[in-house]
Amino acid sequence: MSSVDGHPTRKLLSIVIPCYNEQEVLAETWRRLERLRAELGELDVEFIFVDDGSHDRTRQILKELAASDAGIRIVGFARNFGHQIAVTAGVDAARGDAVVLIDADLQDPPEVVKQMVERWCEGYDVVYGTRTDRPGESAFKLATARGFYRLLNRLSDIPIPLDTGDFRLMSRDVVDTLRAMPERDRFVRGMVSWVGFRQVALPYQRAKRFAGESKYPLRKMLRFATDGILSFSTRPLQMSVAMGMACAGIALLGIFYALALRLFTSIWVEGWTALMIAVLFIGGIQLISVGILGEYVGRIYNEVKHRPLYVVQEYLGFDGHGPTLSRSPVVNGR
Ligand code: UDP
Ligand code: MG
């Protein structure tokens, strides 16, 4: 907090905003973020916008904003790498004493960041936003999200807070620990829970998307949910063993039944229907088990390839202190 000459140095807060095709919202987002900065008078603030390979005017709009404000930094990806990787790149580039992750679409109200900072000043290392209400989301998204967080908690070995997205503040200790976790299939909210330190929930009302459409179609959501479960649990593997055991158990009962009929009565177990059902049932269980195994093997394959997590086409606004010093094009912030 205090510098060598006795003057207290101001703390720096980094706000990381992943953006993918967000041209409709950026002007308003920036207006709200500027207002937040004014309210956080006692802190220095840097804004790190990560352009996750947008196809629209997102990069241009960001550059225009950066030209008029020294507090804006841009990490421009060479292609779309996905939300979790964009967040990771932002965290890698952040220099703040604390880092805030916030969506570009104003679903996470910037005003809540002020309360997060207050909790941080009280000594908490992670302040995560828990959604009390999510207006404007489809009933399907609400139900699947609710189900997912509960399932994840049942399967995962560490507790992961319910109804909590990536909207959160993290202290430098947490950020440094997170940066030392090089895994490819990143489920950032779970990784932050795994890290530990002092964590506290901050309930907030999630707003409607300000403009534009969700960049998380069902396919991406499913992928994300699978990542969450497979990165934090090996329980599915144990479940396939349990399914195998159950099948063997049922088969054993069938054998005893057939034997008993043969030995003690004059009738046989008849028909190929029972046979087909048994074959299909066992076949199904086997394929499911191989599939589960395959998901894990695929992830191991991804890890051993050791490709960089992301490729940055350009860093802007880091004025020589940041990752601009690295190779160009820069692969990975590490
Ligand atoms: N996003 C991203 N890369 C992607 C998809 C999304 O950087 O491939 C960003 C997006 O711009 C937004 C945030 O991640 O700032 C959350 O995405 P979105 O609002 O579309 O998801 P939802 O809130 O509908 O779950
Ligand atoms: Mg959103």
Side-chain angles (χ1 to χ4, degrees), residues 22 103 105 107 137 141 206 209 214-215:
E22 298 287 8
D103 282 358
D105 59 0
Q107 283 199 283
E137 303 276 22
K141 181 145 186 172
R206 191 158 162 90
R209 178 174 249 286
S214 171
K215 309 300 180 296

Side-chain angles (χ1 to χ4, degrees), residues 84-85 88-89 91-92 174-188 191 194-195 231-232 299-310 332-334:
Q84 299 289 296
I85 302 289
T88 303
V91 168
D92 284 345
V174 172
V175 167
D176 286 343
T177 316
L178 202 60
R179 292 193 58 199
M181 296 162 75
E183 62 206 70
R184 253 112 266 271
D185 294 298
R186 299 179 85 78
F187 186 66
V188 173
M191 292 165 70
W194 182 89
V195 167
S231 304
F232 281 88
R299 275 145 218 274
I300 298 171
Y301 176 55
N302 258 340
E303 291 291 343
V304 297
K305 276 195 286 193
H306 273 296
R307 292 210 181 141
L309 269 181
Y310 51 87
N332 230 340
R334 298 192 167 79

